Amino acid sequence: SAVISQKPSRDICQRGTSLTIQCQVDSQVTMMFWYRQQPGQSLTLIATANQGSEATYESGFVIDKFPISRPNLTFSTLTVSNMSPEDSSIYLCSVGDGNRGSNYGYTFGSGTRLTVV
Amino acid sequence: GEDVEQSLFLSVREGDSSVINCTYTDSSSTYLYWYKQEPGAGLQLLTYIFSNMDMKQDQRLTVLLNKKDKHLSLRIADTQTGDSAIYFCAETDDYKLSFGAGTTVTVRA
């Protein structure tokens, strides 16, 4: 399966600032996703990062707050803009391995633990 | 994907079997997954099952799927202290994963 490197692993940020999270994959993948895991909660899909076009956002998430870039098939960034304490969460990058054979699944990065103060 | 529900906590004695249960509502689910999240770590894919299967075994892990009742379970045989983690059930009918709230498994000596 794909290996994902996600940076930074954690950060403490001031409210009103922005943080950009990077996701680097060791192989070309078609599908890349960004999830949010709020404290003690499950994972919620923020958006699907599309290569060469605008990301597809889920209900409740907007581009102005969570701009996403996907310049190629191995890299994506998620920016959390104008942060407030409610944005304190773990943000995870995920890729679809796309091989619907014997080892199909979605791989996740180790996450970025964001605390907004 | 639709709603996915799991019990929140499970305590099990070391060496016993653990059974984690999950129910889902989307009848068009095609793939169902179990992920493990250890403290401070990301999600690790443990196993998955196609919706046309009713059982899958992988070493200490056994997944049972009752499609009629929309019930999925994960059995961990000979549970070890390293199995202490949060286990997430997830389903998809296209490419979006819907996750349960996670079951925190605590293994006691």
Side-chain angles (χ1 to χ4, degrees), chain A residues 31 33 35 37 40-43 45 48 56 58 90 92 94 100-111 113, chain B residues 30-31 33 35 37-45 48 50 56 86 88 92 94-102:
Chain A
M31 318 204 78
F33 309 92
Y35 285 83
Q37 185 180 20
Q41 304 291 316
S42 186
L43 283 80
L45 180 63
T48 302
T56 305
E58 297 300 305
I90 301 173
L92 297 112
S94 174
R100 289 181 180 263
S102 62
N103 192 30
Y104 181 79
Y106 293 88
T107 302
F108 284 79
S110 56
R113 283 150 186 79
Chain B
T30 53
Y31 299 90
Y33 304 87
Y35 283 87
Q37 186 177 38
E38 296 184 67
L43 267 71
Q44 174 194 354
L45 176 63
Y48 68 95
F50 298 146
K56 181 178 180 181
I86 302 175
F88 291 95
T92 183
D94 46 24
Y95 59 88
K96 302 178 189 179
L97 288 175
S98 294
F99 284 85

Side-chain angles (χ1 to χ4, degrees), chain B:
Chain B
E2 300 287 335
D3 291 338
V4 179
E5 293 191 356
Q6 303 175 237
S7 53
L8 295 182
F9 301 100
L10 175 67
S11 178
V12 61
R13 192 188 306 271
E14 188 175 10
D16 288 350
S17 293
S18 309
V19 179
I20 308 167
N21 294 299
C22 170
T23 58
Y24 59 98
T25 60
D26 189 351
S27 58
S28 61
S29 297
T30 53
Y31 299 90
L32 297 115
Y33 304 87
W34 284 104
Y35 283 87
K36 177 183 180 183
Q37 186 177 38
E38 296 184 67
L43 267 71
Q44 174 194 354
L45 176 63
L46 287 179
T47 187
Y48 68 95
I49 189 167
F50 298 146
S51 59
N52 62 359
M53 301 168 63
D54 52 21
M55 188 184 90
K56 181 178 180 181
Q57 188 156 359
D58 183 2
Q59 300 182 341
R60 292 191 298 123
L61 306 179
T62 303
V63 179
L64 295 178
L65 174 62
N66 182 328
K67 196 173 179 181
K68 172 176 171 289
D69 294 340
K70 300 189 185 69
H71 181 267
L72 182 75
S73 68
L74 174 69
R75 177 176 179 269
I76 306 173
D78 187 25
T79 309
Q80 304 297 308
T81 55
D83 295 323
S84 292
I86 302 175
Y87 291 80
F88 291 95
C89 166
E91 63 86 22
T92 183
D93 61 358
D94 46 24
Y95 59 88
K96 302 178 189 179
L97 288 175
S98 294
F99 284 85
T103 300
T104 300
V105 174
T106 302
V107 181
R108 60 187 192 278

